[in-house]
Amino acid sequence: MFPNPPGLLRLEPHSEGLRDRIWWGAASNATAQWAAARGMNLQSSTLKFDETGEPLHVQQRKQIEAYRDAWKAAGHTRKPRVSVSRSVFALVDDRDRLYFGREARDQDQIGFIDGNTRAIFGRTYAAEPDVLVTELAADEAIAVADTLLLTVPNTLGVDYNAHAIESILKYVAPELGWR
């Protein structure tokens, strides 16, 4: 009954600014650059294709730099957002020490997603708050990202996860100047 206007139709219902709130989870430098060219924010998680053999945080920093260079080259006018994810647990009580005090994953892990794709999975940061502050301050990707997403183990329940996040907010974030 109504003629279609020329060009693409917009998504309905329309959400003003939606385009600026779209994030792309990139597992490689190439997909980060692809997302930048299309104006999407970058989300880099605790898993990334192992492209250089370096620690995850170094590879992510380089991924973020490649993303920002591609963003600039694409000529976008707004500032992009970048997030990285980490598993971080401040050992402040007996429960924390029971769950994470003997954490054997204090270094990155290497594995294969398929027969040809080597991946690096980021370590779990689990330590006393003062040690966490030192370790997290040395994480190159956290230093250059706009946002840090904390991954929590849903199997431990809401109450424990609220405690884990509160411990980071109370004992670690202020020491690193995080808000």
Side-chain angles (χ1 to χ4, degrees):
M1 292 175 46
F2 302 100
N4 285 331
L8 298 174
L9 298 176
R10 76 178 189 186
L11 182 64
E12 294 292 343
H14 180 66
S15 176
E16 192 65 41
L18 174 63
R19 186 167 189 78
D20 297 342
R21 297 189 308 271
I22 297 175
W23 292 76
W24 186 265
S28 69
N29 291 0
T31 54
Q33 291 166 317
W34 179 90
R38 285 153 184 80
M40 292 184 264
N41 298 307
L42 175 65
Q43 187 174 22
S44 190
S45 86
T46 56
L47 176 76
K48 183 186 176 302
F49 293 174
D50 184 13
E51 297 177 278
T52 65
E54 297 169 295
L56 174 71
H57 73 103
V58 174
Q59 290 192 50
Q60 280 184 317
R61 178 194 40 85
K62 291 179 178 181
Q63 180 188 45
I64 292 166
E65 290 168 352
Y67 168 82
R68 289 187 172 142
D69 289 345
W71 183 275
K72 184 177 178 182
H76 301 299
T77 56
R78 74 172 175 85
K79 183 179 179 201
R81 293 189 58 204
V82 174
S83 73
V84 294
S85 300
R86 294 291 182 269
S87 296
V88 181
F89 300 96
L91 305 181
V92 298
D93 66 20
D94 290 340
R95 283 182 307 171
D96 301 328
R97 289 177 192 86
L98 175 68
Y99 290 142
F100 300 101
R102 293 180 296 261
E103 183 63 49
R105 302 227 11 246
D106 60 353
Q107 58 186 344
D108 297 338
Q109 304 292 311
I110 300 293
F112 286 86
I113 294 177
D114 59 35
N116 300 317
T117 309
R118 181 178 151 118
I120 186 166
F121 188 81
R123 61 170 284 193
T124 296
Y125 288 93
E128 301 295 325
D130 59 328
V131 174
L132 280 181
V133 168
T134 301
E135 292 176 342
L136 294 169
D139 187 306
E140 295 178 20
I142 291 174
V144 298
D146 305 304
T147 302
L148 172 63
L149 301 175
L150 296 176
T151 60
V152 294
N154 62 355
T155 56
L156 295 180
V158 172
D159 291 339
Y160 180 76
N161 285 321
H163 158 77
I165 293 168
E166 287 170 5
S167 294
I168 298 300
L169 292 174
K170 182 175 181 181
Y171 301 109
V172 177
E175 296 300 316
L176 291 166
W178 296 351
R179 57 176 181 80

